[in-house]
Amino acid sequence: VTVSNVRHVARMDSTSMSSIALTKQHACLVLIVCVIAVSASKLKNTAYLGKMDPYCVVFFLGEKTRTKTVKNGGSNPVWEESYKCKTSSDITDQTIKLMIKNENRMLSDEIIGVSEMSLGDCFRLGKDTIDAPVLSAKTRERVGDVRVRCEFRANESDATRVEKSMEKMVAE
């Protein structure tokens, strides 16, 4: 997925911005990353009978997790599930990968499509909502869309440590 294929809806968060600015100048902070698999839309139907039972597998920072299955969710499932993990503020551009699958009782689960997106704007702004295409794993043709929200914030203990360090520097 190229940058031109992804539409970003960004919101400024001053606390996150100041934490990241402090990080670049004084120390490396540990950031808490919250990734929310929101929904998918216009998914190509891969079910042989009835509606699809889609779920989303999230690959981020070397971890793999999945959403709940939306029974009879069809082509427009809504998950609204969040995952939190820690990352370093000195890494400014990380990528999230998603695999959307159709859960099957008798057969193995079928891959509907995959999506990959950069969280660069989210790192810079503190929050971001990303709409990206879902592509067929086989043909790379567009088979739908996916929406993900993310938010970064400084780990409280690290933010306090940097704040005290800055106060000490100003006092000297």
Side-chain angles (χ1 to χ4, degrees), residues 125-157:
L125 302 171
K127 290 183 179 181
D128 199 10
T129 298
I130 304 167
D131 292 318
V134 176
L135 305 176
S136 164
K138 295 177 185 174
T139 65
R140 305 305 288 171
E141 74 180 46
R142 191 177 196 144
V143 294
D145 298 294
V146 66
R147 174 170 278 190
V148 172
R149 282 194 317 262
C150 64
E151 180 178 325
F152 293 91
R153 68 178 190 281
N155 185 347
E156 294 300 323
S157 61

Side-chain angles (χ1 to χ4, degrees), residues 88 156 161:
S88 172
E156 294 300 323
R161 179 179 49 82

